Amino acid sequence: MPRPDITDRADLEPLLRRFYAAAFADPLIGPHFTEVARLDLETHLPHITDFWASALLRAGEYHRNALAPHLGLHGRRPLTAAHFGRWVQLWQAAVDGLYAGPTAERAKTQADRIARTMLRRTTDGDTEGTEGGFVPLAAVLLRS
């Protein structure tokens, strides 16, 4: 059965819930969500949905600074290329598990760009020694 593409805001909630379930449970990045940020998903979900609706659907609903909380987290427990790589890995697996099409592909590409930008910005551009820190996508089992 073919998977649909992401077409509207309603498509984002199941994607985000799937992603965050995997991210919270992940041994590498989960503690950043559960222990450091102590993220309340129900409070956070409308904001992150606004972000992805703006990024993918040009909704113009996100008016926050996405970098600021990540800088705060990095200050409490450093974020590395491996963390951002796992984030990309889990995001791409969540997208592939639910959707297929041009917007789904853009969601994966955008996540990779965001991760690389966040990595550069949290490390003040000093990414020496971080090459290869991204986790290979083939290791993910969430695609089904």
Side-chain angles (χ1 to χ4, degrees):
M1 177 177 208
R3 291 167 289 156
D5 199 3
I6 299 167
T7 59
D8 59 26
R9 185 180 176 90
D11 293 333
L12 295 172
E13 185 173 341
L15 171 60
L16 291 166
R17 288 191 182 280
R18 182 183 184 103
F19 166 74
Y20 278 105
F24 281 25
D26 186 78
L28 179 62
I29 66 171
H32 276 84
F33 289 105
T34 60
E35 297 169 17
V36 181
R38 297 189 187 280
L39 186 69
D40 174 358
L41 184 58
E42 296 311 311
T43 300
H44 184 63
L45 195 59
H47 303 296
I48 199 66
T49 303
D50 287 347
F51 175 84
W52 284 105
S54 295
L56 299 176
L57 307 171
R58 296 175 179 81
E61 298 172 2
Y62 189 77
H63 304 289
R64 295 173 166 233
N65 178 347
L67 179 62
H70 295 87
L71 287 172
L73 287 174
H74 181 69
R76 287 183 271 163
R77 188 179 297 174
L79 296 164
T80 67
H83 293 114
F84 287 109
R86 178 80 71 184
W87 181 86
V88 168
Q89 179 186 39
L90 295 175
W91 176 257
Q92 291 192 0
V95 171
D96 286 344
L98 295 174
Y99 300 109
T103 305
E105 289 305 311
R106 194 166 60 250
K108 295 186 295 184
T109 300
Q110 187 70 8
D112 187 67
R113 286 185 192 131
I114 290 165
R116 291 176 189 280
T117 298
M118 291 279 187
L119 177 62
R120 280 192 304 274
R121 300 288 298 276
T122 56
T123 59
D124 293 325
D126 179 16
T127 57
E128 185 176 333
T130 61
E131 296 81 10
F134 277 30
V135 179
L137 294 176
V140 176
L141 300 176
L142 297 176
R143 291 183 185 257
S144 58

